[in-house]
Amino acid sequence: MSEKASESPFAAEEARLHALLEPTVTAHRLFLEGVSIKAAGTHRTLHVIVDLPQEQTGGVGLDVIAEISRELSDLLDTRKASGAFADDRPYDLEVSSPGVTRPLTQPRHWHRARGRIVKVNVVQGENLTGRLTQVTDDGVTVVPDLPAAKGVKPKRGEPVTLPFEKIRSGRVEVEFSHVDAVPETAFESFEPDADTLPETDTDAEEA
């Protein structure tokens, strides 16, 4: 996986603000995903993205977002006069959590998506969509959905393990019934049913 370098004209200022805000975010047992500045004329918007630790599932509650927004706003107002910002232009603070369909660009993003349906674009290989069941330091394991007729629930194939260097990109697919209610132990010893496996031709050559 690769990430594009930041091209923000406010990169240095965003880095200073990240260091300033991170202790407050961490005190709420959250992870500071990013800090970005957008300018429009004489006004600026400071967008702060917070997330749960990678070992947790679910999302950040709205009440938590509101509380941390107030604390960060107070902190910024206190530090504004001492140079928290590069200039004195007014600003709006927006605090949010990552969307469900954010790109999976870091290992921690894959950890947070464990148990969800993901679409993976593979480097020099066949792309796949399926349930993300395991994430390690080296890569991920996905149980793919097998092709099915329209309106028929896809069956599950054999687990596929991909090292991170073989993943071009990935994202979470929105599903109406989420897997948060499924115990994590259900994935630890997953084996596809025999009747769900595709028939294979032993004489066929591998691509």
Side-chain angles (χ1 to χ4, degrees):
M1 294 182 300
S2 60
E3 294 182 71
K4 294 183 179 179
S6 173
E7 299 178 354
S8 170
F10 306 104
E13 188 174 358
E14 289 167 349
R16 290 197 302 271
L17 288 168
H18 192 287
L20 173 65
L21 303 179
E22 189 170 31
T24 300
V25 174
T26 303
H28 285 264
R29 298 181 179 180
L30 296 175
F31 179 84
L32 182 54
E33 182 77 21
V35 174
S36 61
I37 298 172
K38 302 296 182 184
T42 60
H43 208 86
R44 302 198 298 177
T45 300
L46 174 62
H47 190 194
V48 177
I49 302 177
V50 298
D51 197 11
L52 294 175
Q54 69 176 32
E55 65 273 8
Q56 295 187 26
T57 58
V60 184
L62 293 178
D63 54 340
V64 176
I65 292 290
E67 181 180 355
I68 200 168
S69 180
R70 287 192 297 269
E71 293 187 18
L72 294 180
S73 180
D74 291 343
L75 174 61
L76 289 168
D77 288 344
T78 301
R79 297 294 295 274
K80 189 172 185 292
S82 61
F85 289 98
D87 57 50
D88 293 329
R89 282 183 290 176
Y91 73 93
D92 287 328
L93 173 64
E94 295 181 356
V95 180
S96 64
S97 59
V100 172
T101 57
R102 69 170 170 191
L104 304 175
T105 60
Q106 301 176 19
R108 72 172 308 275
H109 296 162
W110 292 90
H111 278 280
R112 289 281 290 116
R114 195 157 59 97
R116 291 182 178 270
I117 295 292
V118 295
K119 183 175 183 179
V120 188
N121 291 328
V122 181
V123 177
Q124 295 182 341
E126 184 177 353
N127 299 334
L128 72 155
T129 299
R131 185 77 63 188
L132 177 63
T133 60
Q134 186 178 24
V135 182
T136 67
D137 293 338
D138 301 318
V140 303
T141 298
V142 177
V143 178
D145 292 336
L146 300 179
K150 186 176 180 180
V152 177
K153 184 178 180 180
K155 294 183 178 181
R156 294 175 294 187
E158 294 185 275
V160 176
T161 298
L162 294 168
F164 283 124
E165 60 266 24
K166 293 288 290 182
I167 298 175
R168 188 186 309 277
S169 63
R171 63 181 175 85
V172 172
E173 295 281 272
V174 177
E175 52 184 322
F176 291 104
S177 58
H178 184 42
V179 75
D180 280 346
V182 179
E184 294 184 2
T185 53
F187 299 110
E188 293 176 356
S189 58
F190 173 80
E191 294 183 0
D193 296 332
D195 60 354
T196 68
L197 296 179
E199 294 182 0
T200 58
D201 185 351
T202 56
D203 296 326
E205 293 182 358
E206 295 182 358

